[in-house]
Amino acid sequence: MASTFRSEWAPDRSESAPRSGVWLTEVMLVGMALAWGINYSVVKVATHHFEPLVFNAIRIALAFVVLGAMAYGLRDQLPTWRDRRRLAVLGVLGHGVYQVGFVEGVARSKVGTAALVFAASPAFIGIVGRMLGTEHPSRRAWFGIALQLAGMAGVVLGSATAAAGEGSLSGTLFILGACAAWAFYSALLKRYAQRVHPVQLAAWTLVGGVAVYAVVAFPGLLRLDASTLPPVAWAAAIYSGIVALVIGYLFYYRGVRVLGPVKTAMFSNLQPIIALVVAYFAFHEVPTALQLGGASLIMTGLVVSRA
Protein backbone atom coordinates (compact mmCIF):
# COMPACT_ATOMS: atom_id res chain seq x y z
CA MET A 1 0.00 0.00 0.00
CA ALA A 2 2.77 2.44 0.94
CA SER A 3 4.74 1.71 -2.23
CA THR A 4 1.62 2.24 -4.33
CA PHE A 5 0.98 5.56 -2.60
CA ARG A 6 4.53 6.75 -3.19
CA SER A 7 4.51 5.67 -6.82
CA GLU A 8 1.16 7.35 -7.50
CA TRP A 9 2.14 10.67 -5.95
CA ALA A 10 5.89 10.83 -6.60
CA PRO A 11 6.96 13.83 -8.70
CA ASP A 12 7.02 13.08 -12.41
CA ARG A 13 10.35 14.23 -13.84
CA SER A 14 9.71 13.04 -17.37
CA GLU A 15 9.00 15.54 -20.15
CA SER A 16 5.35 14.53 -20.26
CA ALA A 17 3.30 12.27 -18.05
CA PRO A 18 1.91 9.03 -19.55
CA ARG A 19 -1.61 9.34 -20.91
CA SER A 20 -2.96 7.14 -18.10
CA GLY A 21 -1.42 9.53 -15.56
CA VAL A 22 -3.01 12.51 -17.31
CA TRP A 23 -6.42 10.80 -17.36
CA LEU A 24 -6.21 9.93 -13.65
CA THR A 25 -5.16 13.49 -12.87
CA GLU A 26 -8.13 14.89 -14.79
CA VAL A 27 -10.49 12.59 -12.85
CA MET A 28 -8.95 13.83 -9.61
CA LEU A 29 -9.42 17.43 -10.72
CA VAL A 30 -13.11 16.77 -11.39
CA GLY A 31 -13.31 15.48 -7.81
CA MET A 32 -11.50 18.61 -6.65
CA ALA A 33 -14.02 20.81 -8.48
CA LEU A 34 -16.90 18.90 -6.88
CA ALA A 35 -15.42 19.24 -3.38
CA TRP A 36 -14.65 22.93 -3.82
CA GLY A 37 -17.98 23.70 -5.50
CA ILE A 38 -19.90 22.26 -2.55
CA ASN A 39 -17.54 24.02 -0.15
CA TYR A 40 -18.92 27.48 -1.00
CA SER A 41 -22.27 26.59 0.56
CA VAL A 42 -20.56 24.76 3.43
CA VAL A 43 -18.54 27.90 4.24
CA LYS A 44 -21.69 30.02 4.00
CA VAL A 45 -23.45 27.78 6.52
CA ALA A 46 -20.43 27.74 8.81
CA THR A 47 -20.06 31.53 8.89
CA HIS A 48 -23.61 31.79 10.23
CA HIS A 49 -22.25 30.12 13.40
CA PHE A 50 -18.54 31.02 13.44
CA GLU A 51 -16.79 34.32 12.89
CA PRO A 52 -15.31 33.92 9.37
CA LEU A 53 -11.66 34.12 10.44
CA VAL A 54 -12.26 31.77 13.38
CA PHE A 55 -13.86 29.19 11.10
CA ASN A 56 -10.95 29.37 8.68
CA ALA A 57 -8.45 29.08 11.53
CA ILE A 58 -10.14 25.89 12.76
CA ARG A 59 -10.35 24.23 9.34
CA ILE A 60 -6.77 25.19 8.41
CA ALA A 61 -5.48 23.85 11.73
CA LEU A 62 -7.43 20.63 11.17
CA ALA A 63 -6.02 20.24 7.66
CA PHE A 64 -2.51 20.97 8.93
CA VAL A 65 -2.73 18.21 11.56
CA VAL A 66 -3.85 15.65 8.96
CA LEU A 67 -1.34 16.70 6.31
CA GLY A 68 1.42 16.99 8.92
CA ALA A 69 0.81 13.38 9.95
CA MET A 70 0.86 12.28 6.31
CA ALA A 71 4.07 14.24 5.68
CA TYR A 72 5.69 12.61 8.73
CA GLY A 73 4.82 9.21 7.27
CA LEU A 74 6.71 10.22 4.12
CA ARG A 75 9.87 11.42 5.83
CA ASP A 76 12.01 9.99 3.02
CA GLN A 77 10.32 12.52 0.68
CA LEU A 78 11.14 15.49 2.91
CA PRO A 79 12.08 18.65 0.94
CA THR A 80 15.38 20.43 1.60
CA TRP A 81 15.49 23.03 4.36
CA ARG A 82 15.71 25.72 1.70
CA ASP A 83 12.55 24.47 -0.02
CA ARG A 84 10.73 24.07 3.30
CA ARG A 85 11.41 27.67 4.26
CA ARG A 86 10.36 28.97 0.84
CA LEU A 87 7.20 26.85 0.78
CA ALA A 88 6.20 28.14 4.22
CA VAL A 89 6.71 31.74 3.07
CA LEU A 90 4.74 31.01 -0.11
CA GLY A 91 1.99 29.55 2.07
CA VAL A 92 1.55 32.95 3.73
CA LEU A 93 0.24 34.11 0.36
CA GLY A 94 -1.60 30.94 -0.73
CA HIS A 95 -3.10 29.86 2.59
CA GLY A 96 -2.98 33.12 4.52
CA VAL A 97 -3.82 36.11 2.32
CA TYR A 98 -5.87 34.03 -0.11
CA GLN A 99 -7.89 32.31 2.61
CA VAL A 100 -8.67 35.60 4.38
CA GLY A 101 -10.04 37.01 1.12
CA PHE A 102 -11.91 33.80 0.37
CA VAL A 103 -13.74 33.35 3.66
CA GLU A 104 -14.50 37.05 4.13
CA GLY A 105 -15.71 37.27 0.53
CA VAL A 106 -18.01 34.25 0.77
CA ALA A 107 -19.37 35.47 4.12
CA ARG A 108 -20.29 38.84 2.57
CA SER A 109 -21.52 37.62 -0.85
CA LYS A 110 -24.03 35.30 -2.35
CA VAL A 111 -22.57 31.85 -2.92
CA GLY A 112 -23.18 32.05 -6.67
CA THR A 113 -21.46 35.43 -6.99
CA ALA A 114 -18.38 34.19 -5.14
CA ALA A 115 -18.16 31.03 -7.24
CA LEU A 116 -18.60 32.89 -10.54
CA VAL A 117 -15.86 35.41 -9.76
CA PHE A 118 -13.49 32.64 -8.68
CA ALA A 119 -14.26 30.84 -11.94
CA ALA A 120 -12.28 33.57 -13.73
CA SER A 121 -9.13 32.80 -11.69
CA PRO A 122 -7.46 31.04 -14.68
CA ALA A 123 -7.38 34.46 -16.38
CA PHE A 124 -5.51 35.90 -13.40
CA ILE A 125 -3.14 32.93 -13.37
CA GLY A 126 -2.46 33.26 -17.11
CA ILE A 127 -1.69 36.98 -16.78
CA VAL A 128 0.49 36.59 -13.69
CA GLY A 129 2.23 33.55 -15.18
CA ARG A 130 3.10 35.57 -18.27
CA MET A 131 4.42 38.40 -16.08
CA LEU A 132 6.64 36.00 -14.15
CA GLY A 133 7.66 33.99 -17.21
CA THR A 134 6.13 30.71 -15.98
CA GLU A 135 3.35 30.61 -18.59
CA HIS A 136 3.26 31.50 -22.29
CA PRO A 137 -0.41 31.66 -23.36
CA SER A 138 -1.20 31.34 -27.07
CA ARG A 139 -3.31 33.86 -28.98
CA ARG A 140 -6.32 31.61 -28.46
CA ALA A 141 -5.60 31.49 -24.74
CA TRP A 142 -5.36 35.30 -24.59
CA PHE A 143 -8.73 35.54 -26.32
CA GLY A 144 -10.16 33.15 -23.74
CA ILE A 145 -8.63 35.21 -20.93
CA ALA A 146 -10.23 38.37 -22.36
CA LEU A 147 -13.64 36.64 -22.40
CA GLN A 148 -13.17 35.50 -18.79
CA LEU A 149 -12.29 39.00 -17.63
CA ALA A 150 -15.30 40.46 -19.46
CA GLY A 151 -17.53 37.83 -17.88
CA MET A 152 -16.08 38.52 -14.45
CA ALA A 153 -16.85 42.24 -14.94
CA GLY A 154 -20.47 41.29 -15.66
CA VAL A 155 -20.66 39.22 -12.49
CA VAL A 156 -19.13 42.04 -10.43
CA LEU A 157 -21.55 44.60 -11.89
CA GLY A 158 -24.39 42.17 -11.22
CA SER A 159 -23.36 41.94 -7.58
CA ALA A 160 -23.15 45.74 -7.36
CA THR A 161 -26.75 46.08 -8.54
CA ALA A 162 -28.02 43.28 -6.28
CA ALA A 163 -29.57 43.95 -2.91
CA ALA A 164 -27.21 45.01 -0.15
CA GLY A 165 -26.09 42.58 2.52
CA GLU A 166 -25.84 39.09 1.10
CA GLY A 167 -24.86 40.35 -2.34
CA SER A 168 -22.61 43.21 -1.20
CA LEU A 169 -19.87 44.63 -3.41
CA SER A 170 -17.40 44.50 -0.52
CA GLY A 171 -17.58 40.72 -0.58
CA THR A 172 -16.81 40.72 -4.30
CA LEU A 173 -13.77 42.93 -3.70
CA PHE A 174 -12.48 40.49 -1.08
CA ILE A 175 -12.89 37.69 -3.63
CA LEU A 176 -11.02 39.65 -6.31
CA GLY A 177 -8.15 40.14 -3.88
CA ALA A 178 -8.18 36.41 -3.14
CA CYS A 179 -8.07 35.63 -6.88
CA ALA A 180 -5.00 37.85 -7.29
CA ALA A 181 -3.26 36.20 -4.32
CA TRP A 182 -4.09 32.73 -5.68
CA ALA A 183 -2.74 33.64 -9.12
CA PHE A 184 0.66 34.68 -7.77
CA TYR A 185 0.73 31.66 -5.45
CA SER A 186 -0.05 29.23 -8.29
CA ALA A 187 2.54 30.74 -10.62
CA LEU A 188 5.28 30.77 -7.99
CA LEU A 189 4.39 27.25 -6.83
CA LYS A 190 5.05 25.67 -10.23
CA ARG A 191 8.80 25.25 -9.77
CA TYR A 192 8.32 23.38 -6.49
CA ALA A 193 5.47 21.22 -7.78
CA GLN A 194 7.90 19.61 -10.23
CA ARG A 195 10.23 18.30 -7.53
CA VAL A 196 8.40 18.18 -4.18
CA HIS A 197 6.01 15.41 -3.16
CA PRO A 198 2.39 16.76 -3.14
CA VAL A 199 1.81 15.76 0.49
CA GLN A 200 4.96 17.60 1.57
CA LEU A 201 4.01 20.52 -0.65
CA ALA A 202 0.57 20.80 0.95
CA ALA A 203 1.88 20.40 4.51
CA TRP A 204 4.74 22.90 4.29
CA THR A 205 2.71 25.58 2.51
CA LEU A 206 0.04 25.23 5.21
CA VAL A 207 2.70 26.23 7.77
CA GLY A 208 2.44 29.75 6.36
CA GLY A 209 -1.35 29.70 6.59
CA VAL A 210 -1.27 28.52 10.22
CA ALA A 211 1.17 31.34 11.06
CA VAL A 212 -1.13 33.97 9.53
CA TYR A 213 -4.23 32.68 11.28
CA ALA A 214 -2.46 32.37 14.63
CA VAL A 215 -2.33 36.17 14.45
CA VAL A 216 -5.47 37.33 12.62
CA ALA A 217 -7.90 34.86 14.25
CA PHE A 218 -6.48 34.95 17.78
CA PRO A 219 -8.95 37.53 19.21
CA GLY A 220 -11.90 35.66 17.71
CA LEU A 221 -10.69 32.33 19.05
CA LEU A 222 -10.59 33.85 22.55
CA ARG A 223 -14.26 34.88 22.13
CA LEU A 224 -15.35 31.46 20.83
CA ASP A 225 -17.74 29.50 23.05
CA ALA A 226 -17.57 26.01 21.52
CA SER A 227 -20.39 24.71 23.75
CA THR A 228 -22.95 26.91 21.97
CA LEU A 229 -22.17 25.66 18.47
CA PRO A 230 -24.58 23.16 16.83
CA PRO A 231 -23.33 19.89 15.27
CA VAL A 232 -23.81 21.31 11.76
CA ALA A 233 -21.13 23.94 12.46
CA TRP A 234 -18.56 21.29 13.41
CA ALA A 235 -19.60 19.11 10.47
CA ALA A 236 -18.95 22.09 8.19
CA ALA A 237 -15.50 22.59 9.72
CA ILE A 238 -14.64 18.91 9.21
CA TYR A 239 -15.84 18.87 5.60
CA SER A 240 -14.12 22.14 4.77
CA GLY A 241 -10.90 21.12 6.52
CA ILE A 242 -10.56 17.51 5.38
CA VAL A 243 -12.43 17.24 2.06
CA ALA A 244 -11.90 20.74 0.65
CA LEU A 245 -8.42 21.45 2.00
CA VAL A 246 -6.68 18.09 2.41
CA ILE A 247 -8.16 16.07 -0.46
CA GLY A 248 -8.88 19.06 -2.70
CA TYR A 249 -5.39 20.52 -2.37
CA LEU A 250 -3.65 17.17 -2.90
CA PHE A 251 -5.57 16.76 -6.14
CA TYR A 252 -4.79 20.36 -7.07
CA TYR A 253 -1.04 19.96 -6.49
CA ARG A 254 -0.98 16.81 -8.59
CA GLY A 255 -2.74 18.74 -11.35
CA VAL A 256 -0.19 21.57 -11.18
CA ARG A 257 2.64 19.03 -11.49
CA VAL A 258 1.16 16.99 -14.34
CA LEU A 259 -0.85 19.58 -16.30
CA GLY A 260 0.53 22.95 -15.14
CA PRO A 261 -1.27 25.70 -13.17
CA VAL A 262 -3.29 27.17 -16.05
CA LYS A 263 -4.73 23.86 -17.30
CA THR A 264 -5.38 22.77 -13.72
CA ALA A 265 -7.25 26.01 -13.07
CA MET A 266 -9.43 25.32 -16.12
CA PHE A 267 -11.19 22.61 -14.15
CA SER A 268 -12.64 25.40 -12.02
CA ASN A 269 -15.22 25.81 -14.79
CA LEU A 270 -17.11 23.01 -13.03
CA GLN A 271 -17.04 24.77 -9.66
CA PRO A 272 -19.52 27.59 -10.34
CA ILE A 273 -22.00 25.17 -11.91
CA ILE A 274 -21.83 22.91 -8.85
CA ALA A 275 -21.87 25.89 -6.48
CA LEU A 276 -24.89 27.49 -8.20
CA VAL A 277 -26.89 24.23 -8.10
CA VAL A 278 -26.08 23.61 -4.43
CA ALA A 279 -26.79 27.26 -3.50
CA TYR A 280 -30.14 27.13 -5.30
CA PHE A 281 -31.31 24.20 -3.19
CA ALA A 282 -29.60 25.32 0.03
CA PHE A 283 -30.35 29.07 -0.01
CA HIS A 284 -32.80 29.54 -2.93
CA GLU A 285 -30.27 31.78 -4.66
CA VAL A 286 -31.13 32.87 -8.20
CA PRO A 287 -28.43 34.76 -10.17
CA THR A 288 -29.31 38.01 -11.94
CA ALA A 289 -29.47 38.26 -15.74
CA LEU A 290 -26.21 40.24 -15.76
CA GLN A 291 -24.50 37.57 -13.68
CA LEU A 292 -25.77 34.80 -15.95
CA GLY A 293 -24.43 36.70 -18.97
CA GLY A 294 -21.09 37.09 -17.23
CA ALA A 295 -21.09 33.40 -16.33
CA SER A 296 -21.64 32.50 -20.00
CA LEU A 297 -18.63 34.60 -21.03
CA ILE A 298 -16.47 33.03 -18.29
CA MET A 299 -17.43 29.50 -19.36
CA THR A 300 -16.84 30.32 -23.02
CA GLY A 301 -13.46 31.79 -22.19
CA LEU A 302 -12.47 28.71 -20.22
CA VAL A 303 -13.40 26.43 -23.11
CA VAL A 304 -11.56 28.60 -25.64
CA SER A 305 -8.44 28.74 -23.47
CA ARG A 306 -8.37 24.98 -22.96
CA ALA A 307 -8.97 24.10 -26.65
Side-chain angles (χ1 to χ4, degrees):
M1 183 74 110
S3 61
T4 302
F5 180 81
R6 286 187 172 86
S7 172
E8 199 59 54
W9 285 97
D12 181 5
R13 296 181 174 85
S14 61
E15 286 296 317
S16 60
R19 183 61 208 166
S20 59
V22 172
W23 179 85
L24 179 59
T25 300
E26 290 179 339
V27 171
M28 288 178 172
L29 291 175
V30 171
M32 174 202 75
L34 181 63
W36 287 358
I38 294 172
N39 191 51
Y40 287 98
S41 289
V42 172
V43 170
K44 193 70 174 178
V45 170
T47 54
H48 287 158
H49 303 285
F50 291 99
E51 293 179 31
L53 293 180
V54 170
F55 170 70
N56 241 13
I58 291 171
R59 77 184 190 112
I60 286 175
L62 181 60
F64 178 70
V65 169
V66 174
L67 285 167
M70 294 173 67
Y72 181 78
L74 293 168
R75 295 186 299 278
D76 57 330
Q77 301 283 348
L78 195 66
T80 65
W81 267 112
R82 184 180 183 184
D83 280 351
R84 276 178 269 175
R85 289 194 300 270
R86 291 185 174 183
L87 287 170
V89 171
L90 196 54
V92 171
L93 180 63
H95 296 298
V97 177
Y98 164 75
Q99 286 290 350
V100 169
F102 170 78
V103 74
E104 292 288 355
V106 173
R108 289 169 167 80
S109 305
K110 288 187 176 182
V111 170
T113 300
L116 288 171
V117 174
F118 272 117
S121 62
F124 284 80
I125 293 173
I127 293 169
V128 170
R130 183 66 184 89
M131 290 169 51
L132 299 178
T134 59
E135 298 292 335
H136 302 280
S138 63
R139 288 184 180 180
R140 178 189 290 270
W142 280 118
F143 179 61
I145 286 171
L147 288 175
Q148 292 170 57
L149 293 176
M152 185 185 63
V155 173
V156 172
L157 289 173
S159 70
T161 58
E166 287 291 338
S168 71
L169 183 59
S170 66
T172 305
L173 294 176
F174 268 108
I175 294 167
L176 288 173
C179 285
W182 185 257
F184 278 98
Y185 173 71
S186 298
L188 294 170
L189 187 73
K190 186 176 180 180
R191 68 178 68 178
Y192 302 101
Q194 301 301 321
R195 65 174 184 264
V196 178
H197 193 291
V199 171
Q200 298 289 355
L201 197 70
W204 285 100
T205 52
L206 266 177
V207 170
V210 170
V212 170
Y213 271 90
V215 176
V216 300
F218 184 71
L221 287 168
L222 291 179
R223 292 190 295 268
L224 178 66
D225 183 0
S227 65
T228 65
L229 295 172
V232 68
W234 295 111
I238 292 171
Y239 175 91
S240 201
I242 302 301
V243 179
L245 284 183
V246 175
I247 298 174
Y249 272 121
L250 287 178
F251 287 179
Y252 173 80
Y253 292 136
R254 179 185 172 96
V256 170
R257 175 174 61 82
V258 176
L259 302 179
V262 174
K263 287 186 177 179
T264 296
M266 295 304 172
F267 281 83
S268 65
N269 65 345
L270 294 174
Q271 286 189 61
I273 299 171
I274 296 165
L276 286 170
V277 171
V278 175
Y280 175 78
F281 287 104
F283 307 112
H284 307 291
E285 285 189 11
V286 179
T288 65
L290 193 55
Q291 288 176 323
L292 287 175
S296 298
L297 284 176
I298 292 171
M299 298 303 133
T300 302
L302 288 166
V303 172
V304 170
S305 296
R306 198 177 188 281

